[in-house]
């Protein structure tokens, strides 16, 4: 019946699966006519355009992003020193060694502590300062909410640490924490808190807390600007309606500002968590040797100083897994219904 109808209308018979597969890789001008008039070819043509359009970016991504990860995992299964082209395949011996390495567990604990506390403190301060700058001023005429006077200047001041290189930040704070002539000890002495002065801020148990303070200080300005931009996008009519209902600043923040900026907060949390895990520059420059370690600094020590590149690569794989698990958890646990306004 269908063959008779095709013969009457002059249409070509359906193309075979093989011809359709070959046509997927051919430009439209070289596609056989028999395939071109097949109904299945129309959908194939759509996917062919998308596939060829994404082929080059995907190839570059696979070559420069995915391939190094695969190579890193392979080298983590060897005893490669990093100084020669020879190595022996050792299986999961490096990971078994990690499991029994006390220094690695200490570095992992420090990194996890920064991962938990740094985003919490930094984002809380960023939200507080941004809300005060955008809604903490006195009520002005014909305005539901208003920022403090000179808020633009304060944003520049808060953002200033982001302009500095992280190496410069580490050097400056290393001088501040210096036990002899550092500004911290001298400042405590001036206000009469000599008992709080320390002989070694960065060499003992206080080192992790000093690094945490510098990490939060250096990034809080970025989040003040980021959250200020998100808050300025909220329509003023929403605030006007809440004020008419008698809502105060605290209620306005938790019922309006926080929910409507949640997507930005979640993204900032992931970004700050990654920055906390990558505290190598701060620790390597600011903290004296053996003062404390985080995963990146311990990786650097094993790869460069001890020439144990295979073992260091295994540490890098663990760091990658910790970062991946953190990002996935934040994306899933922080998922909420999108609020349109």
């Amino acid at each position: 019946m269908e063959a008779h109808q095709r013969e009457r209308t002059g249409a070509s018979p359906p193309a075979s699966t093989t011809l359709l597969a070959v046509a997927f890789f051919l430009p439209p001008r070289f596609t056989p006519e028999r395939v071109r008039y097949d109904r299945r070819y129309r959908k194939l043509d759509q996917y062919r355009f998308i596939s060829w359009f994404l082929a080059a970016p995907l190839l570059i991504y696979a070559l420069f992003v995915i391939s190094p990860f695969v190579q890193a995992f392979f080298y983590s299964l060897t005893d490669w020193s990093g100084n020669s082209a020879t190595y022996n395949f050792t299986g999961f011996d490096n990971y078994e060694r990690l499991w029994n390495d006390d220094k690695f567990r200490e570095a992992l604990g420090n990194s996890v502590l920064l991962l938990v506390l740094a985003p919490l403190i930094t984002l809380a301060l960023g939200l507080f300062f941004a809300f005060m700058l955008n809604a903490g001023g006195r009520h002005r005429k014909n305005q539901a909410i208003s920022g403090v006077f000179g808020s633009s200047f304060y944003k520049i001041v808060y953002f200033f640490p982001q302009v500095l290189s992280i190496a410069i930040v580490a050097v400056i704070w290393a001088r501040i924490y210096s036990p002899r002539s550092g500004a911290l000890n001298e400042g405590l002495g001036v206000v009469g808190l000599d008992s709080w002065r320390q002989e070694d801020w960065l060499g003992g148990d206080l080192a992790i807390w000093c690094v945490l303070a510098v990490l939060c200080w250096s990034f809080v300005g970025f989040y003040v600007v980021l959250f200020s931009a998100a808050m300025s996008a909220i329509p003023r009519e929403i605030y006007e309606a809440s004020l008419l209902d008698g809502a105060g600043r605290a209620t306005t923040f938790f019922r309006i500002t926080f929910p409507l900026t949640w997507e930005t907060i979640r993204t900032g949390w992931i970004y700050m968590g990654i920055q906390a895990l990558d505290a190598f520059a701060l620790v390597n420059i600011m903290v004296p040797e053996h003062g404390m370690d985080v995963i990146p600094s311990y990786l650097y020590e094993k790869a460069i100083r001890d020439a144990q590149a295979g073992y260091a690569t295994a540490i890098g794989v663990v760091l990658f897994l910790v970062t991946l698990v953190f990002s996935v958890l934040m994306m899933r646990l922080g998922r909420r219904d999108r609020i349109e306004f």
Side-chain angles (χ1 to χ4, degrees):
M1 182 73 175
E2 292 181 359
H4 177 69
Q5 186 177 2
R6 285 195 305 268
E7 183 178 350
R8 188 177 60 185
T9 58
S12 301
S16 64
T17 305
T18 305
L19 283 176
L20 286 172
V22 172
F24 182 81
F25 298 98
L26 293 176
R29 68 174 64 181
F30 298 113
T31 303
E33 185 176 351
R34 180 182 176 186
V35 178
R36 192 178 302 169
Y37 291 103
D38 194 308
R39 289 182 302 176
R40 295 172 294 174
Y41 175 74
R42 297 176 183 176
K43 181 172 288 188
L44 178 68
D45 190 42
Q46 296 176 358
Y47 286 110
R48 177 174 59 182
F49 172 76
I50 297 173
S51 300
W52 282 106
F53 186 78
L54 295 177
L58 288 176
L59 180 62
I60 295 174
Y61 183 81
L63 182 63
F64 293 103
V65 178
I66 297 179
S67 175
F69 281 111
V70 175
Q71 293 180 39
F73 180 73
F74 172 77
Y75 285 122
S76 71
L77 304 177
T78 68
D79 62 352
W80 183 43
S81 66
N83 298 325
S84 66
T86 61
Y87 54 82
N88 298 312
F89 187 78
T90 59
F92 290 93
D93 289 352
N94 286 327
Y95 295 96
E96 183 179 354
R97 179 183 168 188
L98 280 177
W99 183 263
N100 299 313
D101 191 342
D102 293 335
K103 287 196 65 177
F104 170 74
R105 286 204 294 266
E106 181 182 352
L108 178 62
N110 290 334
S111 290
V112 172
L113 181 64
L114 293 177
L115 176 63
V116 173
L117 294 182
L120 182 64
I121 297 173
T122 307
L123 269 66
L125 291 174
L127 277 171
F128 173 76
F129 290 136
F131 185 73
M132 288 295 102
L133 291 178
N134 287 274
R138 296 180 178 179
H139 295 296
R140 298 173 186 172
K141 186 178 181 180
N142 299 326
Q143 290 187 2
I145 61 170
S146 59
V148 298
F149 179 77
S151 59
S152 299
F153 172 75
Y154 292 132
K155 290 177 185 177
I156 295 174
V157 172
Y158 288 139
F159 192 78
F160 179 73
Q162 281 288 300
V163 180
L164 300 176
S165 167
I166 192 66
I168 296 176
V169 170
V171 171
I172 292 174
W173 279 93
R175 295 299 304 164
I176 293 174
Y177 285 127
S178 174
R180 294 187 179 89
S181 58
L184 183 56
N185 272 348
E186 294 297 326
L188 291 174
V190 169
V191 298
L193 297 175
D194 296 276
S195 60
W196 288 24
R197 300 176 62 161
Q198 300 291 326
E199 293 297 327
D200 191 1
W201 286 98
L202 299 173
D205 296 336
L206 293 174
I208 182 65
W209 304 106
C210 293
V211 171
L212 176 63
V214 177
L215 191 64
C216 295
W217 174 85
S218 60
F219 282 98
V220 69
F222 171 79
Y223 290 103
V224 169
V225 176
L226 179 67
F227 294 149
S228 295
M231 293 175 187
S232 63
I234 301 175
R236 298 294 176 180
E237 293 80 4
I238 299 178
Y239 288 110
E240 291 176 358
S242 66
L243 291 175
L244 290 175
D245 291 335
R249 282 197 176 92
T251 305
T252 301
F253 175 79
F254 287 106
R255 296 299 181 91
I256 297 178
T257 305
F258 188 82
L260 294 181
T261 56
W262 174 249
E263 292 295 328
T264 305
I265 295 171
R266 184 181 66 170
T267 303
W269 198 293
I270 296 174
Y271 177 74
M272 188 61 206
I274 295 174
Q275 292 296 326
L277 287 173
D278 187 25
F280 167 75
L282 279 180
V283 173
N284 195 51
I285 297 174
M286 190 173 69
V287 180
E289 188 175 3
H290 305 303
M292 64 164 285
D293 272 315
V294 289
I295 295 179
S297 65
Y298 190 58
L299 183 155
Y300 174 81
E301 177 183 327
K302 289 300 178 183
I304 304 301
R305 193 193 67 181
D306 298 339
Q308 299 177 10
Y311 186 59
T313 308
I315 299 174
V317 171
V318 174
L319 178 61
F320 164 73
L321 293 176
V322 172
T323 307
L324 180 64
V325 170
F326 166 74
S327 301
V328 171
L329 285 177
M330 286 305 304
M331 291 296 292
R332 292 189 65 86
L333 296 179
R335 183 181 301 171
R336 292 185 178 184
D337 293 335
R338 186 176 182 86
I339 301 176
E340 300 289 345
F341 56 86

